[in-house]
Amino acid sequence: MENIEKLSQTRSTTIVKASFIGILTNILLVIFKASIGILTNSIAILLDAVNNLSDVLSSTVTIIGAKLSEKEADKEHPLGHGRIEYLSAMIVASIILYAGITALIESIKKIISPATAEYTNISLIIMGVSIIVKILLGTYVKKIGQKVESQSLIASGKDALFDAVISTSVLATALIFMFYKISLEAYVGVLISIVIIRSGIEILKESTDDILGKRVDKALLKKIKKTICEDHNITGAYDLMLHNYGPQKYVGSVHIEIPDTMTADKIDILEREIVDNIFEKYGVFLAGISIYSINTKNPIITEMHLNILKMATSFEGVLQFHAFYVDLNQKTIRFDIVVDFSISDKDELQMELKNRIKKEYPEYEVYIRIDMDIDI
């Protein structure tokens, strides 16, 4: 538990540090670009400065979001405040969208009422330096964001790299005007605006997906299930469902298959060991572990298992078969299947499979449960 808390504090410190570097760098760029834009009467350079100003606001929001997400759990929010980071990423996206829409309006105005720019060699040098700075800043911030799983930092890093592309187009426009006396400023401004707006929409979509609940990284799910199955009494781990309450903060549940010979006291010990082990290794709290009992005493049931497994997996869309159990006294067969989301009529598939099994084993009642495709 202490290790997880230390990692969380280190993560927050890293996010704040990277964001402060972004703020200071962008403030300097805003000052230089705004000055050049005013002196040269360049709408494209001024819009580039406005875009950098939006980055300052974005980094500020990222810092605030990181700090607020650190708040400890309370009665109203028993699972903490980690999701605030997703809200801060949405605010960052909104700022970027606003900057893009504003830039688009101003660019269109300049197309209607064009103004001639006057570039100098100094202004071009400063623009070139700003491009290099933005590439370095964007690469650094994005890399840190991916390392600590901060959607806000990743968004800021992507935006900085977009800025480098934008500044390059502005520089190219200036060079074209100086050598060929062709003014493309306003049109480049429109392109810049579209790039900014698109970036904002993408970030907004990613943040919305995080809040709605998207599929967890398959690599993490695979590692957790493998760790669970390392215990010799567990023959399979299925239906691993993780609920996200902020970056690197998961609460979940899982189904495990164990021999039908295990007693309640042994199961209790096993369950506690699994919960402690998974939390220690991955920082994931398994709030619930459900049990599937597996037949171990009768070779006839083993043959039935293999036969019904072939039947089930022969159906298109059946991704997994598990939790198989036969009660010879009650004459029941029960198992779970995982069906692909592309299958529209899951009830029809379930009924067809049930009828096929009943035809093979008419004396048995068949119970089939369809699970969601959440961890395959």
Side-chain angles (χ1 to χ4, degrees):
M1 183 70 176
E2 290 181 1
N3 290 335
I4 298 298
E5 289 177 352
K6 286 180 181 178
L7 286 173
S8 179
Q9 291 172 0
T10 302
R11 177 179 179 275
S12 177
T13 302
T14 303
I15 291 172
V16 172
K17 179 184 176 182
S19 298
F20 266 125
I21 291 172
I23 288 172
L24 293 174
T25 304
N26 280 302
I27 286 175
L28 291 173
L29 290 174
V30 168
I31 293 170
F32 282 119
K33 288 182 182 180
S35 301
I36 295 169
I38 293 169
L39 292 172
T40 60
N41 195 30
S42 170
I43 180 63
I45 296 177
L46 282 173
L47 290 179
D48 204 5
V50 170
N51 189 36
N52 289 144
L53 182 60
S54 73
D55 294 343
V56 174
L57 296 175
S58 299
S59 296
T60 303
V61 171
T62 299
I63 290 173
I64 294 171
K67 284 299 180 183
L68 289 176
S69 69
E70 280 185 335
K71 288 178 64 179
E72 293 185 4
D74 52 38
K75 190 173 183 180
E76 287 75 25
H77 309 92
L79 294 170
H81 299 76
R83 286 181 176 172
I84 286 178
E85 279 200 38
Y86 302 145
L87 293 176
S88 67
M90 292 184 76
I91 294 171
V92 169
S94 300
I95 292 170
I96 293 171
L97 278 173
Y98 176 77
I101 293 169
T102 303
L104 181 61
I105 293 170
E106 292 301 316
S107 297
I108 292 172
K109 286 180 181 179
K110 288 295 180 181
I111 291 175
I112 298 170
S113 303
T116 304
E118 296 178 2
Y119 299 104
T120 64
N121 291 332
I122 295 176
S123 66
L124 297 180
I125 292 171
I126 293 175
M127 286 297 296
V129 172
S130 73
I131 292 169
I132 296 170
V133 169
K134 270 297 185 178
I135 291 173
L136 293 174
L137 178 65
T139 303
Y140 167 74
V141 172
K142 185 180 177 183
K143 184 178 179 180
I144 295 297
Q146 290 171 337
K147 183 179 179 180
V148 300
E149 295 183 28
S150 168
Q151 196 60 246
S152 296
L153 273 188
I154 293 172
S156 296
K158 286 181 179 179
D159 190 42
L161 291 173
F162 272 127
D163 290 348
V165 175
I166 290 168
S167 297
T168 301
S169 65
V170 173
L171 180 59
T173 301
L175 291 171
I176 290 171
F177 181 77
M178 287 181 71
F179 286 103
Y180 301 103
K181 302 302 178 183
I182 299 173
S183 181
L184 300 174
E185 274 214 325
Y187 298 98
V188 170
V190 170
L191 292 176
I192 291 172
S193 306
I194 293 171
V195 171
I196 295 171
I197 291 170
R198 182 182 176 184
S199 174
I201 291 172
E202 288 178 353
I203 295 167
L204 190 62
K205 182 181 180 300
E206 288 175 4
S207 303
T208 303
D209 286 344
D210 283 323
I211 292 173
L212 288 176
K214 63 182 180 182
R215 186 178 290 274
V216 178
D217 178 48
K218 286 186 178 181
L220 175 62
L221 295 173
K222 189 176 180 179
K223 287 178 183 177
I224 292 175
K225 288 195 288 185
K226 183 180 178 181
T227 301
I228 290 173
C229 292
E230 285 173 355
D231 190 289
H232 68 278
N233 284 317
I234 299 174
T235 56
Y238 306 97
D239 311 323
L240 176 58
M241 184 179 292
L242 300 183
H243 304 282
N244 180 272
Y245 288 92
Q248 302 176 346
K249 295 178 182 178
Y250 289 104
V251 175
S253 60
V254 68
H255 292 157
I256 60 172
E257 287 182 338
I258 59 174
D260 56 1
T261 54
M262 284 193 74
T263 56
D265 59 330
K266 299 296 183 184
I267 294 172
D268 179 70
I269 294 170
L270 179 65
E271 186 271 343
R272 293 173 187 275
E273 288 178 350
I274 292 171
V275 171
D276 292 343
N277 194 22
I278 296 303
F279 187 81
E280 183 181 345
K281 285 190 175 182
Y282 305 104
V284 173
F285 175 62
L286 292 177
I289 299 178
S290 299
I291 302 299
Y292 289 144
S293 181
I294 302 301
N295 301 103
T296 59
K297 306 171 185 175
N298 196 318
I300 295 174
I301 295 176
T302 302
E303 186 179 340
M304 291 174 66
H305 186 181
L306 292 173
N307 191 26
I308 294 173
L309 171 62
K310 290 179 182 177
M311 290 185 198
T313 53
S314 69
F315 280 79
E316 183 180 355
V318 174
L319 303 175
Q320 193 180 82
F321 174 97
H322 59 265
F324 182 84
Y325 191 83
V326 176
D327 190 321
L328 296 175
N329 294 324
Q330 297 294 325
K331 293 294 181 182
T332 60
I333 298 171
R334 61 179 185 262
F335 60 88
D336 293 6
I337 56 174
V338 178
V339 179
D340 191 88
F341 281 107
S342 63
I343 304 300
S344 57
D345 196 340
K346 295 179 176 61
D347 291 335
E348 183 182 353
L349 185 152
Q350 183 185 41
M351 186 57 65
E352 287 183 15
L353 176 57
K354 184 175 181 179
N355 291 337
R356 188 179 295 185
I357 295 170
K358 285 283 288 181
K359 188 176 180 180
E360 187 84 13
Y361 303 99
E363 70 275 23
Y364 285 88
E365 286 296 320
V366 180
Y367 299 95
I368 305 172
R369 182 166 64 185
I370 296 181
D371 289 334
M372 292 186 294
D373 172 20
I374 56 174
D375 65 343
I376 297 177

